[in-house]
Amino acid sequence: ENNNNNNNVSSAPLPKALTDLLLQTAILGIDTTAKLSKPTLALTKNTLLPQIILPLLSELWETYAPDRLQTWMKVLPSSLKNLHDLLWETDAGKQFGQTSFQLGEDVVDMISSEVARQYCIDVTVALIKFMDALHTPEVRKLLDQFAISMCRLVDVMSSGKAKQIWFDVSDTIWAALEVGSDDVMVMALAEGCAKVCFALERERESLKRRKRGGVVVGGDGSGDEVVGKRSGKIKTERLIAASRRRKERDQRQMETYPPGKEVLRGEGGRADIEDALMDGLGSFTRDDDHQQREDDN
């Protein structure tokens, strides 16, 4: 047993010595490779590349490349250099870069906002409902009939009679252009334009008087003074109409934003994307959701 312990002690340093030997050999090999390759890299960089390789590539480019391509390749670096100088070296270019960056940040802030995400949800719901509404046998029959109708249209348009119609259309258009360029047409258009402008001017004056509640122009062009009761009645009718329009607008807004609608909100909001999407699809009721929350509490 003592002999075995002595053998283990004597053999313990051997792996470490072997590892050190291999490490030194590897370091020596790497150092030798670097020393041997360093002149080669220097020769390539200082002699082969600038004196042989680059001139050879330049000669091949000038000999075999098309002239138009060479011209465009000369324009591109110059344009890029001028663009770089304009955007990065001038005050106006730097200001343009700053404003563009600020614009990009504002755009990202807008499209990542809760309102934009809610819009994305509502558009998705509308698309789903639209596709579901079109997924009917009647729409399928309509598409089949539309395809048949288009085939019939191609048959009609490819017939000899249709070709003759195109020539007739060409002749008709030319005749219409000759009529439009006639002196009589020019005089008629000028006279018609003058009368229309005069009528519009009279209408504008009449509108101003009606707004003031002073005079109403009769059919014969004569003005009659509007009595107070008539003016008051008109104003009352306008107020009633404006009130009705406001009520209709409020009703439409209530339909768009009904109470209890699940929407994305900021701090303290109760709806996430799944709830808002499912609420738009109408796949669950708020009463069940409220009852479930009360049961959880």
Side-chain angles (χ1 to χ4, degrees):
E1 184 178 355
N2 292 331
N3 292 331
N4 292 333
N5 293 334
N6 293 331
N7 291 333
N8 293 333
V9 172
S10 61
S11 60
L14 183 59
K16 184 175 184 306
L18 182 59
T19 302
D20 294 340
L21 178 61
L22 293 175
L23 181 61
Q24 293 297 328
T25 304
I27 293 174
L28 179 62
I30 293 173
D31 186 62
T32 304
T33 303
K35 290 181 179 179
L36 292 176
S37 61
K38 187 174 181 180
T40 305
L41 294 175
L43 178 64
T44 302
K45 181 179 178 181
N46 299 326
T47 304
L48 295 179
L49 189 61
Q51 298 182 12
I52 299 177
I53 298 177
L54 292 180
L56 178 61
L57 294 177
S58 178
E59 183 179 357
L60 292 175
W61 169 260
E62 295 177 356
T63 304
Y64 297 102
D67 295 337
R68 295 174 59 188
L69 181 59
Q70 294 184 25
T71 302
W72 281 109
M73 292 304 296
K74 291 179 182 178
V75 171
L76 183 61
S78 176
S79 301
L80 293 177
K81 181 179 182 302
N82 293 333
L83 181 63
H84 177 272
D85 295 340
L86 176 63
L87 296 179
W88 276 271
E89 301 298 333
T90 62
D91 295 336
K94 295 177 180 179
Q95 182 65 28
F96 174 75
Q98 294 177 359
T99 54
S100 300
F101 181 76
Q102 184 63 40
L103 174 62
E105 287 189 340
D106 292 340
V107 169
V108 172
D109 182 54
M110 180 192 68
I111 62 178
S112 63
S113 63
E114 296 162 357
V115 178
R117 284 180 283 148
Q118 181 64 41
Y119 169 76
C120 181
I121 291 174
D122 292 335
V123 169
T124 303
V125 170
L127 179 61
I128 293 173
K129 292 184 177 180
F130 178 74
M131 299 302 294
D132 184 67
L134 293 180
H135 189 255
T136 59
E138 290 77 10
V139 174
R140 177 61 182 176
K141 294 179 181 179
L142 175 63
L143 293 177
D144 293 339
Q145 187 60 42
F146 181 76
I148 294 174
S149 301
M150 290 297 101
C151 293
R152 300 304 183 194
L153 178 62
V154 171
D155 295 338
V156 172
M157 299 305 293
S158 61
S159 63
K161 297 179 180 180
K163 296 177 182 177
Q164 181 60 39
I165 289 177
W166 286 115
F167 286 106
D168 294 340
V169 169
S170 176
D171 296 338
T172 304
I173 293 175
W174 178 250
L177 292 176
E178 289 184 342
V179 172
S181 62
D182 192 86
D183 295 338
V184 177
M185 175 60 74
V186 174
M187 294 299 296
L189 290 175
E191 183 179 356
C193 179
K195 291 182 177 180
V196 169
C197 291
F198 177 74
L200 292 175
E201 184 179 359
R202 294 293 301 275
E203 288 295 330
R204 185 176 182 83
E205 294 176 356
S206 176
L207 177 62
K208 290 181 179 179
R209 287 194 293 268
R210 287 198 300 269
K211 288 184 176 181
R212 291 195 301 265
V215 176
V216 176
V217 178
D220 56 353
S222 62
D224 297 328
E225 294 185 0
V226 180
V227 296
K229 293 182 179 180
R230 176 68 175 174
S231 178
K233 183 178 180 180
I234 293 176
K235 292 181 179 179
T236 303
E237 291 176 352
R238 290 178 180 174
L239 291 175
I240 294 174
S243 177
R244 184 170 60 253
R245 287 195 298 269
R246 283 195 298 269
K247 290 181 179 179
E248 293 176 354
R249 180 194 61 195
D250 295 339
Q251 181 65 29
R252 287 194 295 267
Q253 292 182 357
M254 287 296 295
E255 293 175 356
T256 305
Y257 306 102
K261 179 178 175 60
E262 299 283 358
V263 295
L264 297 179
R265 293 170 184 169
E267 298 296 333
R270 63 185 179 89
D272 54 13
I273 295 177
E274 291 79 6
D275 291 339
L277 183 61
M278 296 302 292
D279 180 53
L281 292 173
S283 299
F284 68 93
T285 60
R286 297 186 183 86
D287 294 336
D288 295 340
D289 184 61
H290 180 69
Q291 184 65 33
Q292 182 65 32
R293 291 177 181 174
E294 289 183 352
D295 295 339
D296 295 340
N297 293 331

mmCIF file with all atom_site columns, all heavy atoms in Angstrom, residues 138-162:
data_model
loop_
_atom_site.group_PDB
_atom_site.id
_atom_site.type_symbol
_atom_site.label_atom_id
_atom_site.label_alt_id
_atom_site.label_comp_id
_atom_site.label_asym_id
_atom_site.label_entity_id
_atom_site.label_seq_id
_atom_site.pdbx_PDB_ins_code
_atom_site.Cartn_x
_atom_site.Cartn_y
_atom_site.Cartn_z
_atom_site.occupancy
_atom_site.B_iso_or_equiv
_atom_site.pdbx_formal_charge
_atom_site.auth_seq_id
_atom_site.auth_comp_id
_atom_site.auth_asym_id
_atom_site.auth_atom_id
_atom_site.pdbx_PDB_model_num
ATOM 1   N N   . GLU A 1 138 ? -74.139 33.056 -51.643 1.00 0.00 ? 138 GLU A N   1
ATOM 2   C CA  . GLU A 1 138 ? -74.552 34.052 -52.625 1.00 0.00 ? 138 GLU A CA  1
ATOM 3   C C   . GLU A 1 138 ? -73.359 34.778 -53.232 1.00 0.00 ? 138 GLU A C   1
ATOM 4   O O   . GLU A 1 138 ? -73.327 35.055 -54.437 1.00 0.00 ? 138 GLU A O   1
ATOM 5   C CB  . GLU A 1 138 ? -75.499 35.064 -51.965 1.00 0.00 ? 138 GLU A CB  1
ATOM 6   C CG  . GLU A 1 138 ? -76.862 34.518 -51.603 1.00 0.00 ? 138 GLU A CG  1
ATOM 7   C CD  . GLU A 1 138 ? -76.831 33.660 -50.353 1.00 0.00 ? 138 GLU A CD  1
ATOM 8   O OE1 . GLU A 1 138 ? -75.777 33.655 -49.678 1.00 0.00 ? 138 GLU A OE1 1
ATOM 9   O OE2 . GLU A 1 138 ? -77.850 33.006 -50.053 1.00 0.00 ? 138 GLU A OE2 1
ATOM 10  N N   . VAL A 1 139 ? -72.367 35.105 -52.406 1.00 0.00 ? 139 VAL A N   1
ATOM 11  C CA  . VAL A 1 139 ? -71.169 35.770 -52.925 1.00 0.00 ? 139 VAL A CA  1
ATOM 12  C C   . VAL A 1 139 ? -70.406 34.840 -53.854 1.00 0.00 ? 139 VAL A C   1
ATOM 13  O O   . VAL A 1 139 ? -69.852 35.264 -54.881 1.00 0.00 ? 139 VAL A O   1
ATOM 14  C CB  . VAL A 1 139 ? -70.283 36.248 -51.757 1.00 0.00 ? 139 VAL A CB  1
ATOM 15  C CG1 . VAL A 1 139 ? -68.972 36.819 -52.273 1.00 0.00 ? 139 VAL A CG1 1
ATOM 16  C CG2 . VAL A 1 139 ? -71.022 37.291 -50.934 1.00 0.00 ? 139 VAL A CG2 1
ATOM 17  N N   . ARG A 1 140 ? -70.361 33.549 -53.531 1.00 0.00 ? 140 ARG A N   1
ATOM 18  C CA  . ARG A 1 140 ? -69.707 32.587 -54.407 1.00 0.00 ? 140 ARG A CA  1
ATOM 19  C C   . ARG A 1 140 ? -70.390 32.537 -55.779 1.00 0.00 ? 140 ARG A C   1
ATOM 20  O O   . ARG A 1 140 ? -69.727 32.544 -56.821 1.00 0.00 ? 140 ARG A O   1
ATOM 21  C CB  . ARG A 1 140 ? -69.739 31.198 -53.762 1.00 0.00 ? 140 ARG A CB  1
ATOM 22  C CG  . ARG A 1 140 ? -69.154 30.090 -54.625 1.00 0.00 ? 140 ARG A CG  1
ATOM 23  C CD  . ARG A 1 140 ? -67.702 30.343 -54.939 1.00 0.00 ? 140 ARG A CD  1
ATOM 24  N NE  . ARG A 1 140 ? -67.154 29.316 -55.795 1.00 0.00 ? 140 ARG A NE  1
ATOM 25  C CZ  . ARG A 1 140 ? -65.914 29.313 -56.298 1.00 0.00 ? 140 ARG A CZ  1
ATOM 26  N NH1 . ARG A 1 140 ? -65.107 30.327 -55.985 1.00 0.00 ? 140 ARG A NH1 1
ATOM 27  N NH2 . ARG A 1 140 ? -65.499 28.354 -57.059 1.00 0.00 ? 140 ARG A NH2 1
ATOM 28  N N   . LYS A 1 141 ? -71.716 32.506 -55.794 1.00 0.00 ? 141 LYS A N   1
ATOM 29  C CA  . LYS A 1 141 ? -72.437 32.517 -57.064 1.00 0.00 ? 141 LYS A CA  1
ATOM 30  C C   . LYS A 1 141 ? -72.207 33.819 -57.825 1.00 0.00 ? 141 LYS A C   1
ATOM 31  O O   . LYS A 1 141 ? -72.097 33.831 -59.057 1.00 0.00 ? 141 LYS A O   1
ATOM 32  C CB  . LYS A 1 141 ? -73.926 32.313 -56.803 1.00 0.00 ? 141 LYS A CB  1
ATOM 33  C CG  . LYS A 1 141 ? -74.279 30.936 -56.246 1.00 0.00 ? 141 LYS A CG  1
ATOM 34  C CD  . LYS A 1 141 ? -75.770 30.820 -55.982 1.00 0.00 ? 141 LYS A CD  1
ATOM 35  C CE  . LYS A 1 141 ? -76.112 29.445 -55.411 1.00 0.00 ? 141 LYS A CE  1
ATOM 36  N NZ  . LYS A 1 141 ? -77.580 29.314 -55.120 1.00 0.00 ? 141 LYS A NZ  1
ATOM 37  N N   . LEU A 1 142 ? -72.144 34.933 -57.073 1.00 0.00 ? 142 LEU A N   1
ATOM 38  C CA  . LEU A 1 142 ? -71.880 36.215 -57.708 1.00 0.00 ? 142 LEU A CA  1
ATOM 39  C C   . LEU A 1 142 ? -70.520 36.229 -58.379 1.00 0.00 ? 142 LEU A C   1
ATOM 40  O O   . LEU A 1 142 ? -70.365 36.735 -59.504 1.00 0.00 ? 142 LEU A O   1
ATOM 41  C CB  . LEU A 1 142 ? -71.979 37.327 -56.663 1.00 0.00 ? 142 LEU A CB  1
ATOM 42  C CG  . LEU A 1 142 ? -71.616 38.734 -57.141 1.00 0.00 ? 142 LEU A CG  1
ATOM 43  C CD1 . LEU A 1 142 ? -72.587 39.190 -58.221 1.00 0.00 ? 142 LEU A CD1 1
ATOM 44  C CD2 . LEU A 1 142 ? -71.623 39.716 -55.968 1.00 0.00 ? 142 LEU A CD2 1
ATOM 45  N N   . LEU A 1 143 ? -69.504 35.684 -57.728 1.00 0.00 ? 143 LEU A N   1
ATOM 46  C CA  . LEU A 1 143 ? -68.162 35.645 -58.323 1.00 0.00 ? 143 LEU A CA  1
ATOM 47  C C   . LEU A 1 143 ? -68.137 34.777 -59.571 1.00 0.00 ? 143 LEU A C   1
ATOM 48  O O   . LEU A 1 143 ? -67.485 35.124 -60.568 1.00 0.00 ? 143 LEU A O   1
ATOM 49  C CB  . LEU A 1 143 ? -67.161 35.133 -57.283 1.00 0.00 ? 143 LEU A CB  1
ATOM 50  C CG  . LEU A 1 143 ? -66.917 36.050 -56.077 1.00 0.00 ? 143 LEU A CG  1
ATOM 51  C CD1 . LEU A 1 143 ? -65.973 35.381 -55.094 1.00 0.00 ? 143 LEU A CD1 1
ATOM 52  C CD2 . LEU A 1 143 ? -66.339 37.383 -56.518 1.00 0.00 ? 143 LEU A CD2 1
ATOM 53  N N   . ASP A 1 144 ? -68.818 33.642 -59.521 1.00 0.00 ? 144 ASP A N   1
ATOM 54  C CA  . ASP A 1 144 ? -68.872 32.784 -60.706 1.00 0.00 ? 144 ASP A CA  1
ATOM 55  C C   . ASP A 1 144 ? -69.557 33.497 -61.867 1.00 0.00 ? 144 ASP A C   1
ATOM 56  O O   . ASP A 1 144 ? -69.087 33.438 -63.018 1.00 0.00 ? 144 ASP A O   1
ATOM 57  C CB  . ASP A 1 144 ? -69.614 31.481 -60.379 1.00 0.00 ? 144 ASP A CB  1
ATOM 58  C CG  . ASP A 1 144 ? -68.841 30.621 -59.393 1.00 0.00 ? 144 ASP A CG  1
ATOM 59  O OD1 . ASP A 1 144 ? -67.611 30.814 -59.277 1.00 0.00 ? 144 ASP A OD1 1
ATOM 60  O OD2 . ASP A 1 144 ? -69.461 29.768 -58.717 1.00 0.00 ? 144 ASP A OD2 1
ATOM 61  N N   . GLN A 1 145 ? -70.666 34.171 -61.575 1.00 0.00 ? 145 GLN A N   1
ATOM 62  C CA  . GLN A 1 145 ? -71.363 34.891 -62.632 1.00 0.00 ? 145 GLN A CA  1
ATOM 63  C C   . GLN A 1 145 ? -70.531 36.054 -63.155 1.00 0.00 ? 145 GLN A C   1
ATOM 64  O O   . GLN A 1 145 ? -70.559 36.366 -64.356 1.00 0.00 ? 145 GLN A O   1
ATOM 65  C CB  . GLN A 1 145 ? -72.709 35.407 -62.104 1.00 0.00 ? 145 GLN A CB  1
ATOM 66  C CG  . GLN A 1 145 ? -73.593 36.030 -63.171 1.00 0.00 ? 145 GLN A CG  1
ATOM 67  C CD  . GLN A 1 145 ? -73.933 35.046 -64.273 1.00 0.00 ? 145 GLN A CD  1
ATOM 68  O OE1 . GLN A 1 145 ? -74.233 33.889 -64.007 1.00 0.00 ? 145 GLN A OE1 1
ATOM 69  N NE2 . GLN A 1 145 ? -73.895 35.513 -65.515 1.00 0.00 ? 145 GLN A NE2 1
ATOM 70  N N   . PHE A 1 146 ? -69.786 36.708 -62.278 1.00 0.00 ? 146 PHE A N   1
ATOM 71  C CA  . PHE A 1 146 ? -68.905 37.794 -62.713 1.00 0.00 ? 146 PHE A CA  1
ATOM 72  C C   . PHE A 1 146 ? -67.826 37.267 -63.654 1.00 0.00 ? 146 PHE A C   1
ATOM 73  O O   . PHE A 1 146 ? -67.498 37.923 -64.655 1.00 0.00 ? 146 PHE A O   1
ATOM 74  C CB  . PHE A 1 146 ? -68.267 38.455 -61.485 1.00 0.00 ? 146 PHE A CB  1
ATOM 75  C CG  . PHE A 1 146 ? -67.359 39.586 -61.824 1.00 0.00 ? 146 PHE A CG  1
ATOM 76  C CD1 . PHE A 1 146 ? -67.862 40.819 -62.192 1.00 0.00 ? 146 PHE A CD1 1
ATOM 77  C CD2 . PHE A 1 146 ? -65.982 39.410 -61.781 1.00 0.00 ? 146 PHE A CD2 1
ATOM 78  C CE1 . PHE A 1 146 ? -67.019 41.871 -62.512 1.00 0.00 ? 146 PHE A CE1 1
ATOM 79  C CE2 . PHE A 1 146 ? -65.131 40.452 -62.101 1.00 0.00 ? 146 PHE A CE2 1
ATOM 80  C CZ  . PHE A 1 146 ? -65.654 41.694 -62.466 1.00 0.00 ? 146 PHE A CZ  1
ATOM 81  N N   . ALA A 1 147 ? -67.265 36.090 -63.353 1.00 0.00 ? 147 ALA A N   1
ATOM 82  C CA  . ALA A 1 147 ? -66.257 35.514 -64.238 1.00 0.00 ? 147 ALA A CA  1
ATOM 83  C C   . ALA A 1 147 ? -66.857 35.200 -65.611 1.00 0.00 ? 147 ALA A C   1
ATOM 84  O O   . ALA A 1 147 ? -66.235 35.461 -66.660 1.00 0.00 ? 147 ALA A O   1
ATOM 85  C CB  . ALA A 1 147 ? -65.680 34.251 -63.605 1.00 0.00 ? 147 ALA A CB  1
ATOM 86  N N   . ILE A 1 148 ? -68.076 34.663 -65.619 1.00 0.00 ? 148 ILE A N   1
ATOM 87  C CA  . ILE A 1 148 ? -68.732 34.369 -66.900 1.00 0.00 ? 148 ILE A CA  1
ATOM 88  C C   . ILE A 1 148 ? -68.980 35.667 -67.678 1.00 0.00 ? 148 ILE A C   1
ATOM 89  O O   . ILE A 1 148 ? -68.768 35.739 -68.901 1.00 0.00 ? 148 ILE A O   1
ATOM 90  C CB  . ILE A 1 148 ? -70.049 33.621 -66.647 1.00 0.00 ? 148 ILE A CB  1
ATOM 91  C CG1 . ILE A 1 148 ? -69.766 32.244 -66.045 1.00 0.00 ? 148 ILE A CG1 1
ATOM 92  C CG2 . ILE A 1 148 ? -70.845 33.474 -67.939 1.00 0.00 ? 148 ILE A CG2 1
ATOM 93  C CD1 . ILE A 1 148 ? -71.004 31.487 -65.620 1.00 0.00 ? 148 ILE A CD1 1
ATOM 94  N N   . SER A 1 149 ? -69.411 36.709 -66.967 1.00 0.00 ? 149 SER A N   1
ATOM 95  C CA  . SER A 1 149 ? -69.680 37.987 -67.628 1.00 0.00 ? 149 SER A CA  1
ATOM 96  C C   . SER A 1 149 ? -68.409 38.577 -68.229 1.00 0.00 ? 149 SER A C   1
ATOM 97  O O   . SER A 1 149 ? -68.432 39.128 -69.338 1.00 0.00 ? 149 SER A O   1
ATOM 98  C CB  . SER A 1 149 ? -70.294 38.969 -66.622 1.00 0.00 ? 149 SER A CB  1
ATOM 99  O OG  . SER A 1 149 ? -71.492 38.455 -66.081 1.00 0.00 ? 149 SER A OG  1
ATOM 100 N N   . MET A 1 150 ? -67.291 38.464 -67.528 1.00 0.00 ? 150 MET A N   1
ATOM 101 C CA  . MET A 1 150 ? -66.040 38.962 -68.064 1.00 0.00 ? 150 MET A CA  1
ATOM 102 C C   . MET A 1 150 ? -65.607 38.179 -69.301 1.00 0.00 ? 150 MET A C   1
ATOM 103 O O   . MET A 1 150 ? -65.073 38.747 -70.259 1.00 0.00 ? 150 MET A O   1
ATOM 104 C CB  . MET A 1 150 ? -64.950 38.898 -66.984 1.00 0.00 ? 150 MET A CB  1
ATOM 105 C CG  . MET A 1 150 ? -65.124 39.891 -65.855 1.00 0.00 ? 150 MET A CG  1
ATOM 106 S SD  . MET A 1 150 ? -65.038 41.629 -66.385 1.00 0.00 ? 150 MET A SD  1
ATOM 107 C CE  . MET A 1 150 ? -66.808 42.040 -66.435 1.00 0.00 ? 150 MET A CE  1
ATOM 108 N N   . CYS A 1 151 ? -65.841 36.878 -69.285 1.00 0.00 ? 151 CYS A N   1
ATOM 109 C CA  . CYS A 1 151 ? -65.532 36.077 -70.488 1.00 0.00 ? 151 CYS A CA  1
ATOM 110 C C   . CYS A 1 151 ? -66.382 36.529 -71.665 1.00 0.00 ? 151 CYS A C   1
ATOM 111 O O   . CYS A 1 151 ? -65.895 36.647 -72.796 1.00 0.00 ? 151 CYS A O   1
ATOM 112 C CB  . CYS A 1 151 ? -65.754 34.603 -70.193 1.00 0.00 ? 151 CYS A CB  1
ATOM 113 S SG  . CYS A 1 151 ? -64.597 33.886 -69.000 1.00 0.00 ? 151 CYS A SG  1
ATOM 114 N N   . ARG A 1 152 ? -67.677 36.796 -71.412 1.00 0.00 ? 152 ARG A N   1
ATOM 115 C CA  . ARG A 1 152 ? -68.546 37.287 -72.477 1.00 0.00 ? 152 ARG A CA  1
ATOM 116 C C   . ARG A 1 152 ? -68.089 38.658 -72.970 1.00 0.00 ? 152 ARG A C   1
ATOM 117 O O   . ARG A 1 152 ? -68.148 38.951 -74.168 1.00 0.00 ? 152 ARG A O   1
ATOM 118 C CB  . ARG A 1 152 ? -69.979 37.378 -71.967 1.00 0.00 ? 152 ARG A CB  1
ATOM 119 C CG  . ARG A 1 152 ? -70.565 36.073 -71.489 1.00 0.00 ? 152 ARG A CG  1
ATOM 120 C CD  . ARG A 1 152 ? -70.516 34.992 -72.526 1.00 0.00 ? 152 ARG A CD  1
ATOM 121 N NE  . ARG A 1 152 ? -71.159 33.771 -72.048 1.00 0.00 ? 152 ARG A NE  1
ATOM 122 C CZ  . ARG A 1 152 ? -71.035 32.589 -72.634 1.00 0.00 ? 152 ARG A CZ  1
ATOM 123 N NH1 . ARG A 1 152 ? -70.304 32.469 -73.740 1.00 0.00 ? 152 ARG A NH1 1
ATOM 124 N NH2 . ARG A 1 152 ? -71.648 31.525 -72.130 1.00 0.00 ? 152 ARG A NH2 1
ATOM 125 N N   . LEU A 1 153 ? -67.635 39.486 -72.044 1.00 0.00 ? 153 LEU A N   1
ATOM 126 C CA  . LEU A 1 153 ? -67.149 40.805 -72.449 1.00 0.00 ? 153 LEU A CA  1
ATOM 127 C C   . LEU A 1 153 ? -65.926 40.692 -73.349 1.00 0.00 ? 153 LEU A C   1
ATOM 128 O O   . LEU A 1 153 ? -65.794 41.431 -74.336 1.00 0.00 ? 153 LEU A O   1
ATOM 129 C CB  . LEU A 1 153 ? -66.821 41.631 -71.198 1.00 0.00 ? 153 LEU A CB  1
ATOM 130 C CG  . LEU A 1 153 ? -66.256 43.031 -71.447 1.00 0.00 ? 153 LEU A CG  1
ATOM 131 C CD1 . LEU A 1 153 ? -67.260 43.887 -72.202 1.00 0.00 ? 153 LEU A CD1 1
ATOM 132 C CD2 . LEU A 1 153 ? -65.864 43.697 -70.136 1.00 0.00 ? 153 LEU A CD2 1
ATOM 133 N N   . VAL A 1 154 ? -65.018 39.773 -73.018 1.00 0.00 ? 154 VAL A N   1
ATOM 134 C CA  . VAL A 1 154 ? -63.846 39.559 -73.866 1.00 0.00 ? 154 VAL A CA  1
ATOM 135 C C   . VAL A 1 154 ? -64.280 39.097 -75.257 1.00 0.00 ? 154 VAL A C   1
ATOM 136 O O   . VAL A 1 154 ? -63.730 39.536 -76.280 1.00 0.00 ? 154 VAL A O   1
ATOM 137 C CB  . VAL A 1 154 ? -62.902 38.540 -73.204 1.00 0.00 ? 154 VAL A CB  1
ATOM 138 C CG1 . VAL A 1 154 ? -61.784 38.146 -74.166 1.00 0.00 ? 154 VAL A CG1 1
ATOM 139 C CG2 . VAL A 1 154 ? -62.313 39.109 -71.929 1.00 0.00 ? 154 VAL A CG2 1
ATOM 140 N N   . ASP A 1 155 ? -65.294 38.217 -75.309 1.00 0.00 ? 155 ASP A N   1
ATOM 141 C CA  . ASP A 1 155 ? -65.790 37.755 -76.607 1.00 0.00 ? 155 ASP A CA  1
ATOM 142 C C   . ASP A 1 155 ? -66.357 38.903 -77.429 1.00 0.00 ? 155 ASP A C   1
ATOM 143 O O   . ASP A 1 155 ? -66.130 39.004 -78.637 1.00 0.00 ? 155 ASP A O   1
ATOM 144 C CB  . ASP A 1 155 ? -66.856 36.674 -76.396 1.00 0.00 ? 155 ASP A CB  1
ATOM 145 C CG  . ASP A 1 155 ? -66.285 35.420 -75.760 1.00 0.00 ? 155 ASP A CG  1
ATOM 146 O OD1 . ASP A 1 155 ? -65.051 35.219 -75.865 1.00 0.00 ? 155 ASP A OD1 1
ATOM 147 O OD2 . ASP A 1 155 ? -67.049 34.650 -75.147 1.00 0.00 ? 155 ASP A OD2 1
ATOM 148 N N   . VAL A 1 156 ? -67.106 39.784 -76.749 1.00 0.00 ? 156 VAL A N   1
ATOM 149 C CA  . VAL A 1 156 ? -67.707 40.907 -77.460 1.00 0.00 ? 156 VAL A CA  1
ATOM 150 C C   . VAL A 1 156 ? -66.633 41.871 -77.963 1.00 0.00 ? 156 VAL A C   1
ATOM 151 O O   . VAL A 1 156 ? -66.658 42.326 -79.116 1.00 0.00 ? 156 VAL A O   1
ATOM 152 C CB  . VAL A 1 156 ? -68.714 41.629 -76.546 1.00 0.00 ? 156 VAL A CB  1
ATOM 153 C CG1 . VAL A 1 156 ? -69.207 42.916 -77.183 1.00 0.00 ? 156 VAL A CG1 1
ATOM 154 C CG2 . VAL A 1 156 ? -69.891 40.719 -76.241 1.00 0.00 ? 156 VAL A CG2 1
ATOM 155 N N   . MET A 1 157 ? -65.679 42.214 -77.093 1.00 0.00 ? 157 MET A N   1
ATOM 156 C CA  . MET A 1 157 ? -64.660 43.192 -77.454 1.00 0.00 ? 157 MET A CA  1
ATOM 157 C C   . MET A 1 157 ? -63.693 42.682 -78.508 1.00 0.00 ? 157 MET A C   1
ATOM 158 O O   . MET A 1 157 ? -63.013 43.468 -79.170 1.00 0.00 ? 157 MET A O   1
ATOM 159 C CB  . MET A 1 157 ? -63.881 43.623 -76.205 1.00 0.00 ? 157 MET A CB  1
ATOM 160 C CG  . MET A 1 157 ? -64.743 44.278 -75.141 1.00 0.00 ? 157 MET A CG  1
ATOM 161 S SD  . MET A 1 157 ? -65.682 45.694 -75.748 1.00 0.00 ? 157 MET A SD  1
ATOM 162 C CE  . MET A 1 157 ? -64.359 46.837 -76.094 1.00 0.00 ? 157 MET A CE  1
ATOM 163 N N   . SER A 1 158 ? -63.588 41.362 -78.655 1.00 0.00 ? 158 SER A N   1
ATOM 164 C CA  . SER A 1 158 ? -62.681 40.798 -79.659 1.00 0.00 ? 158 SER A CA  1
ATOM 165 C C   . SER A 1 158 ? -63.359 40.517 -80.986 1.00 0.00 ? 158 SER A C   1
ATOM 166 O O   . SER A 1 158 ? -62.730 39.996 -81.901 1.00 0.00 ? 158 SER A O   1
ATOM 167 C CB  . SER A 1 158 ? -62.066 39.498 -79.122 1.00 0.00 ? 158 SER A CB  1
ATOM 168 O OG  . SER A 1 158 ? -63.081 38.531 -78.860 1.00 0.00 ? 158 SER A OG  1
ATOM 169 N N   . SER A 1 159 ? -64.623 40.871 -81.103 1.00 0.00 ? 159 SER A N   1
ATOM 170 C CA  . SER A 1 159 ? -65.333 40.640 -82.361 1.00 0.00 ? 159 SER A CA  1
ATOM 171 C C   . SER A 1 159 ? -65.006 41.743 -83.368 1.00 0.00 ? 159 SER A C   1
ATOM 172 O O   . SER A 1 159 ? -64.508 42.818 -83.023 1.00 0.00 ? 159 SER A O   1
ATOM 173 C CB  . SER A 1 159 ? -66.837 40.583 -82.101 1.00 0.00 ? 159 SER A CB  1
ATOM 174 O OG  . SER A 1 159 ? -67.305 41.822 -81.601 1.00 0.00 ? 159 SER A OG  1
ATOM 175 N N   . GLY A 1 160 ? -65.317 41.479 -84.641 1.00 0.00 ? 160 GLY A N   1
ATOM 176 C CA  . GLY A 1 160 ? -65.063 42.470 -85.683 1.00 0.00 ? 160 GLY A CA  1
ATOM 177 C C   . GLY A 1 160 ? -65.918 43.706 -85.540 1.00 0.00 ? 160 GLY A C   1
ATOM 178 O O   . GLY A 1 160 ? -65.480 44.825 -85.868 1.00 0.00 ? 160 GLY A O   1
ATOM 179 N N   . LYS A 1 161 ? -67.137 43.567 -85.042 1.00 0.00 ? 161 LYS A N   1
ATOM 180 C CA  . LYS A 1 161 ? -68.010 44.719 -84.843 1.00 0.00 ? 161 LYS A CA  1
ATOM 181 C C   . LYS A 1 161 ? -67.451 45.667 -83.794 1.00 0.00 ? 161 LYS A C   1
ATOM 182 O O   . LYS A 1 161 ? -67.577 46.896 -83.914 1.00 0.00 ? 161 LYS A O   1
ATOM 183 C CB  . LYS A 1 161 ? -69.396 44.245 -84.437 1.00 0.00 ? 161 LYS A CB  1
ATOM 184 C CG  . LYS A 1 161 ? -70.090 43.404 -85.510 1.00 0.00 ? 161 LYS A CG  1
ATOM 185 C CD  . LYS A 1 161 ? -71.453 42.946 -85.048 1.00 0.00 ? 161 LYS A CD  1
ATOM 186 C CE  . LYS A 1 161 ? -72.138 42.104 -86.129 1.00 0.00 ? 161 LYS A CE  1
ATOM 187 N NZ  . LYS A 1 161 ? -73.475 41.633 -85.703 1.00 0.00 ? 161 LYS A NZ  1
ATOM 188 N N   . ALA A 1 162 ? -66.850 45.110 -82.755 1.00 0.00 ? 162 ALA A N   1
ATOM 189 C CA  . ALA A 1 162 ? -66.239 45.964 -81.728 1.00 0.00 ? 162 ALA A CA  1
ATOM 190 C C   . ALA A 1 162 ? -65.065 46.755 -82.295 1.00 0.00 ? 162 ALA A C   1
ATOM 191 O O   . ALA A 1 162 ? -64.861 47.922 -81.947 1.00 0.00 ? 162 ALA A O   1
ATOM 192 C CB  . ALA A 1 162 ? -65.783 45.113 -80.548 1.00 0.00 ? 162 ALA A CB  1
#
